[in-house]
Amino acid sequence: AREDLVRLYARDFHRLDLAESQIEQLLQFPNQPARQIVRWLNMLADLHVKHGGTYEAAASALERIIAMN
């Protein structure tokens, strides 16, 4: 449900900041598998690219994936 909220904030309300905060909350849940975390970080990078974020913010999300390994 929270992922749907992320998409709603970004796509319909053009509130990338709120979408990003929801993803950050997802990332804080304990015991999440690495695959899920990577999926959420990729979603964050996509949101920055598609909905007016900066290149640096998208790159930062992808760098977090690299740092995990």
Side-chain angles (χ1 to χ4, degrees), residues 16 20 43-55 57-59 61:
L16 184 57
E20 184 174 7
M43 179 188 289
L44 181 58
D46 286 344
L47 289 173
H48 280 289
V49 170
K50 293 177 182 176
H51 297 285
T54 64
Y55 170 79

Side-chain angles (χ1 to χ4, degrees), residues 11-33:
R11 184 185 59 226
D12 296 339
F13 296 119
H14 307 288
R15 292 294 308 266
L16 184 57
D17 59 326
L18 295 177
E20 184 174 7
S21 72
Q22 291 299 310
I23 290 177
E24 291 297 337
Q25 287 182 20
L26 288 169
L27 292 168
Q28 298 304 314
F29 289 143
N31 303 320
Q32 293 299 316

